[in-house]
Amino acid sequence: MEPNAELYLRIGAALGIFAAMALWEFVAPRRALSVGRLRRWPGNLGILVLDALLVRFLIPVAAAGTAAIAAQRGWGFLNITPWPAWLEILLGFVVLDLAVYAQHVVFHKVPWLWRLHRMHHADLDIDVSTGLRFHPIEIILSMLIKVAVVVLVGAPMVAVVAFEVVLNATSMFNHSNAAMPGWLDRRVRLVVVTPDMHRVHHSVKRHETDSNYGFNLPWWDRLFRTYRALPEAGHDDMTIGLPIFRDPKESRLDRLVTQPFRNAADVAPQPDGGNRTR
Ligand SMILES: [Zn+2]
Ligand SMILES: [Zn+2]
């Protein structure tokens, strides 16, 4: 794929979906926001810019570039076996999605990885900007994991670019605060993770946080029994975020960057007397 065309596709799709979801959640919000956009968006979008710059600088070849190199040199399962191109693209896409699911589970279970990932969960509201809010170190690790998966699988470059564009879009969609009628949600969540499905994952209750790990295809959670249809408190009354980092000041960019290296106790007392801080 021509590099400029790829870049325009990525930026165009990202801006288009962001604008569409921001408009949808503005016109038809699912829940009332507790902190709102004004205090959260500068940090959430600031961290996105930081992430993009860091990846570009530290891993310029990225996953798509790795796929091109792997194809040239015959690296990876799909490059040493003769498959039809469409099947290679489909397999590459599905395997990458499974890898992202598995990685997400691991980032919840391994304490030092959870410290990085919990910044995503510390957002006190969930909306389109939350889907872009990941700690820079988590983003770098994710890219390295993706590069390793691409080399092992030999995923075609088209599959990698398609996967990254689609994942970015579905992440903005399923983090959005867009209202969707129940009948539509039930149908859509058979093929892609919906906002009502992913919101359960942002519940303050740990057993709900540890469910619905999928960002794109919704099947892994059902297959590996991590699926939860609804939050116990209901979508309107559930609390979003973590028991720690509940001070709205934690939405600032500098606080987002330092959260993995702090415990909430350093910043604000915990009204519920603790909970998980690791
Ligand atoms: Zn998570
Ligand atoms: Zn999320």
Side-chain angles (χ1 to χ4, degrees):
M1 189 180 279
E2 208 255 309
N4 273 344
E6 185 200 325
L7 190 67
Y8 294 146
L9 171 73
R10 286 175 189 271
I11 294 175
L15 288 177
I17 301 286
F18 182 86
M21 295 319 304
L23 184 68
W24 187 351
E25 64 186 17
F26 184 74
V27 173
R30 178 71 168 89
R31 288 162 44 96
L33 299 181
S34 62
V35 178
R37 296 180 188 83
L38 225 57
R39 291 194 80 165
R40 295 169 41 256
W41 279 31
N44 288 3
L45 299 180
I47 206 96
L48 169 72
V49 172
L50 195 61
D51 290 345
L53 292 175
L54 269 175
V55 168
R56 195 105 193 136
F57 182 68
L58 292 176
I59 320 173
V61 59
T66 305
I69 297 169
Q72 272 171 13
R73 306 200 180 163
W75 295 343
F77 179 70
L78 293 175
N79 287 323
I80 53 174
T81 46
W83 299 79
W86 66 267
L87 190 59
E88 287 196 352
I89 293 169
L90 190 69
L91 281 173
F93 187 97
V94 173
V95 171
L96 280 167
D97 199 64
L98 174 60
V100 167
Y101 168 89
Q103 178 195 329
H104 192 179
V105 175
V106 171
F107 271 66
H108 274 238
K109 304 295 177 199
V110 178
W112 71 272
L113 294 173
W114 169 249
R115 274 185 173 262
L116 300 173
H117 179 63
R118 73 182 179 184
M119 191 280 265
H120 174 69
H121 284 268
D123 203 346
L124 295 169
D125 285 314
I126 170 169
D127 67 12
V128 60
S129 74
T130 315
L132 306 167
R133 168 185 157 137
F134 293 92
H135 195 274
I137 304 176
E138 176 173 3
I139 288 292
I140 297 290
L141 289 177
S142 298
M143 184 53 88
L144 293 176
I145 293 166
K146 206 158 36 175
V147 163
V149 171
V150 166
V151 168
L152 281 174
V153 175
M157 187 179 180
V158 178
V160 176
V161 175
F163 176 74
E164 290 183 329
V165 169
V166 169
L167 186 73
N168 198 24
T170 52
S171 182
M172 285 191 269
F173 166 64
N174 61 46
H175 284 89
S176 77
N177 189 36
M180 228 161 89
W183 62 267
L184 184 60
D185 175 274
R186 281 190 294 280
R187 282 170 177 78
V188 174
R189 79 162 70 180
L190 296 175
V191 286
V192 69
V193 176
T194 61
D196 275 7
M197 181 174 163
H198 190 70
R199 195 176 301 106
V200 181
H201 186 74
H202 282 260
S203 164
V204 78
K205 295 180 180 174
R206 186 70 208 196
H207 60 281
E208 293 184 338
T209 312
D210 291 340
S211 67
N212 296 6
Y213 291 98
F215 277 119
N216 184 30
L217 300 176
W219 312 318
W220 313 120
D221 282 299
R222 295 179 192 253
L223 191 63
F224 298 109
R225 300 182 181 281
T226 50
Y227 176 67
R228 204 174 275 276
L230 284 168
E232 285 163 359
H235 283 290
D236 290 320
D237 296 325
M238 70 184 290
T239 304
I240 300 293
L242 297 174
I244 55 170
F245 301 130
R246 298 212 65 82
D247 186 340
K249 285 198 191 82
E250 288 293 335
S251 307
R252 267 174 22 204
L253 180 60
D254 59 317
R255 298 286 182 102
L256 298 184
V257 172
T258 59
Q259 270 181 11
F261 316 105
R262 289 187 287 117
N263 282 322
D266 305 338
V267 177
Q270 291 170 51
D272 57 1
N275 280 306
R276 181 173 162 143
T277 54
R278 63 184 191 173

